Amino acid sequence: MLLAKVIGSVVSTQKSPSLTGKKLLLIQWVNADGSLPAQDQIRTEIAVDSVGAGEGEIVLVTCGSSARRVFPEPNDAIDMAVVGIVDSVSQNLSA
Amino acid sequence: MLLAKVIGSVVSTQKSPSLTGKKLLLIQWVNADGSLPAQDQIRTEIAVDSVGAGEGEIVLVTCGSSARRVFPEPNDAIDMAVVGIVDSVSQNLSA
Amino acid sequence: MLLAKVIGSVVSTQKSPSLTGKKLLLIQWVNADGSLPAQDQIRTEIAVDSVGAGEGEIVLVTCGSSARRVFPEPNDAIDMAVVGIVDSVSQNLSA
Amino acid sequence: MLLAKVIGSVVSTQKSPSLTGKKLLLIQWVNADGSLPAQDQIRTEIAVDSVGAGEGEIVLVTCGSSARRVFPEPNDAIDMAVVGIVDSVSQNLSA
Amino acid sequence: MLLAKVIGSVVSTQKSPSLTGKKLLLIQWVNADGSLPAQDQIRTEIAVDSVGAGEGEIVLVTCGSSARRVFPEPNDAIDMAVVGIVDSVSQNLSA
């Protein structure tokens, strides 16, 4: 999984029926300390929320077929999901 | 999912039967504000349309096995699909 | 899918039985106009042919589990397939 | 699989039920000699532990649907798993 | 599939049962002529051998769920496999 920050949301009316009623979150990959990566490494993507995440929160993001399986069917169009809200990251700098 | 802009289309006569009758859209990844990424980050790909998207529109794109599942069988050759037309992106710059 | 140019082929005698009798094409990702990407973006990969593609042709390439499904079993070792020969790419530069 | 070093862990209370009771390890891709890649290649990700790995250890990491299958169900949200603790890496520099 | 060179191997005692008895090869992506890519493009990964490949050989590598399927069960932890030993690569420079 990747660490990301929720920075907004997306509205789409004309979309796959499997996305109806789901929250589409705009996310940005972040470093372990919550900071943004270098300018040329910034990536913004859209993940479907499964845990009630809100703007500004640091979250765990799952990709691929695993993201689809987090939701009951129909879930076909989903390839990225927010699967956790991060309380804390513990990094051992001498490890 | 990723945000992309539809910038054209591809014609292929000799192709997998699972692509017959499907619209092959030329897309380009874009930033949350619809702008192009830096020159060396530009990526152009081909996605199969599932929502009636047209040139110039900002769309949601799904990759991998989820893209295949958006279409009824036969859908074998599909690994990228346009699954939504974006109405608006709301980005909280202070988030 | 990605656009690529067929630039050669690979011979392998000792290989997965699921690759027996299949054509292994050397491909290189190309831009929408058929040109090569910047030097540091060039990627050469091996895709299994499913449409009778030949050297010099621009083709559509599918990755992952979808590539495997383009072929009847046994197809286990396949994660990249040429699924179409491109007749033309129409790009709307003002889109 | 990729080689990584365990550098910390993540705590998440509000998360997918399939992550309950699992250890979420903060990992960083490393080179074959255990050193970090160049600064702009550093990637930090979160992998679910399946082998009792601890901080400072060099581990094998599996991605995608294979990572999910390492765990008994429910395992839906998992797309990255630590599947081995590395005892030694033997690299033939003249190969 | 990708072209890689076998440059070593990895020993892991504490690992997923599905890796028991399998050879874990250290590989490095190479160009079509067997040369290494530019320094900042070098990637070293671990692939499970399925064809009896040895150090110094150029091999075909498959990723994702296809890699898992090359082996009989149990094969859960595998996401990268050596599926062929390359005899020759024919590249048409004028193509």
Side-chain angles (χ1 to χ4, degrees):
Chain A
M1 283 94 80
L2 284 152
L3 286 176
K5 189 176 198 175
V6 180
I7 59 166
S9 60
V10 169
V11 176
S12 168
T13 307
Q14 200 169 331
K15 65 190 169 200
S16 161
S18 62
L19 296 176
T20 300
K22 298 198 173 73
K23 199 157 60 162
L24 303 173
L25 298 175
L26 189 68
I27 59 168
Q28 206 161 51
W29 305 134
V30 292
N31 297 320
D33 61 359
S35 64
L36 284 177
Q39 183 65 31
D40 63 342
Q41 307 275 319
I42 288 181
R43 283 181 62 191
T44 306
E45 307 211 27
I46 314 294
V48 181
D49 181 38
S50 79
V51 291
E55 282 186 26
E57 287 184 304
I58 303 294
V59 293
L60 281 175
V61 177
T62 287
C63 302
S65 59
S66 295
R68 189 173 67 229
R69 293 168 59 106
V70 169
F71 299 89
E73 297 190 6
N75 53 12
D76 296 321
I78 301 170
D79 70 351
M80 194 170 288
V82 172
V83 298
I85 298 175
V86 175
D87 299 325
S88 64
V89 176
S90 154
Q91 183 172 357
N92 185 340
L93 292 177
S94 68
Chain B
M1 285 95 79
L2 284 152
L3 285 177
K5 189 176 197 173
V6 180
I7 60 167
S9 59
V10 168
V11 175
S12 168
T13 307
Q14 200 169 332
K15 65 190 168 200
S16 162
S18 61
L19 296 177
T20 300
K22 298 198 173 72
K23 199 158 58 161
L24 303 172
L25 298 175
L26 189 68
I27 59 167
Q28 207 160 52
W29 304 133
V30 292
N31 297 320
D33 61 359
S35 64
L36 285 177
Q39 183 66 29
D40 63 343
Q41 306 275 318
I42 288 181
R43 284 181 61 191
T44 307
E45 308 210 27
I46 314 295
V48 181
D49 182 37
S50 78
V51 291
E55 282 186 24
E57 287 184 304
I58 303 294
V59 292
L60 280 176
V61 177
T62 287
C63 303
S65 59
S66 296
R68 189 173 68 229
R69 292 168 61 107
V70 169
F71 300 88
E73 297 190 5
N75 53 12
D76 296 320
I78 301 170
D79 70 350
M80 196 171 287
V82 172
V83 297
I85 298 175
V86 174
D87 299 324
S88 63
V89 176
S90 154
Q91 183 172 358
N92 186 341
L93 293 177
S94 67
Chain C
M1 284 94 79
L2 283 151
L3 285 176
K5 189 176 197 173
V6 181
I7 60 167
S9 59
V10 169
V11 176
S12 168
T13 307
Q14 199 169 332
K15 65 191 167 200
S16 162
S18 61
L19 296 176
T20 299
K22 298 198 173 71
K23 200 158 57 161
L24 302 173
L25 298 175
L26 189 67
I27 60 168
Q28 207 161 51
W29 305 134
V30 293
N31 297 320
D33 60 0
S35 65
L36 285 177
Q39 183 66 30
D40 63 344
Q41 306 276 317
I42 288 182
R43 283 181 62 190
T44 307
E45 308 210 26
I46 315 296
V48 181
D49 181 38
S50 78
V51 292
E55 281 186 24
E57 287 184 303
I58 303 294
V59 293
L60 279 177
V61 177
T62 287
C63 303
S65 59
S66 295
R68 189 173 68 229
R69 292 168 60 106
V70 169
F71 300 88
E73 297 189 7
N75 54 12
D76 296 321
I78 302 170
D79 70 349
M80 196 171 287
V82 172
V83 298
I85 298 174
V86 174
D87 299 325
S88 63
V89 176
S90 154
Q91 183 172 359
N92 186 341
L93 294 177
S94 68
Chain D
M1 283 93 80
L2 284 152
L3 286 175
K5 188 176 198 174
V6 180
I7 59 166
S9 59
V10 169
V11 176
S12 167
T13 306
Q14 200 169 333
K15 65 190 169 201
S16 162
S18 62
L19 297 176
T20 300
K22 299 197 173 73
K23 199 158 58 163
L24 302 173
L25 298 175
L26 189 68
I27 60 167
Q28 205 160 53
W29 304 133
V30 293
N31 297 321
D33 61 0
S35 64
L36 286 178
Q39 183 66 29
D40 63 342
Q41 306 275 318
I42 288 182
R43 282 180 63 190
T44 307
E45 308 210 27
I46 315 294
V48 182
D49 181 38
S50 78
V51 292
E55 282 186 26
E57 287 184 304
I58 303 295
V59 293
L60 280 175
V61 177
T62 288
C63 303
S65 59
S66 296
R68 190 172 67 229
R69 292 168 61 108
V70 169
F71 299 88
E73 297 191 6
N75 54 12
D76 296 320
I78 301 171
D79 69 350
M80 194 171 289
V82 172
V83 298
I85 297 174
V86 174
D87 300 325
S88 63
V89 176
S90 154
Q91 182 172 358
N92 186 340
L93 293 177
S94 68
Chain E
M1 282 94 80
L2 283 152
L3 286 175
K5 189 177 198 173
V6 181
I7 60 165
S9 59
V10 169
V11 176
S12 168
T13 307
Q14 200 168 333
K15 65 191 166 201
S16 162
S18 61
L19 296 176
T20 300
K22 299 197 172 72
K23 199 159 57 163
L24 302 173
L25 298 175
L26 189 68
I27 60 168
Q28 206 159 53
W29 304 133
V30 292
N31 297 320
D33 61 0
S35 65
L36 286 177
Q39 183 66 29
D40 63 342
Q41 307 275 317
I42 289 181
R43 282 180 64 189
T44 307
E45 308 210 26
I46 315 294
V48 181
D49 181 38
S50 77
V51 291
E55 281 186 26
E57 287 184 303
I58 303 294
V59 293
L60 280 176
V61 176
T62 287
C63 303
S65 59
S66 295
R68 189 173 67 228
R69 292 168 60 107
V70 169
F71 300 89
E73 298 190 5
N75 54 13
D76 296 320
I78 302 170
D79 70 350
M80 195 171 288
V82 172
V83 298
I85 298 175
V86 174
D87 299 325
S88 64
V89 176
S90 154
Q91 183 172 358
N92 186 340
L93 293 177
S94 68

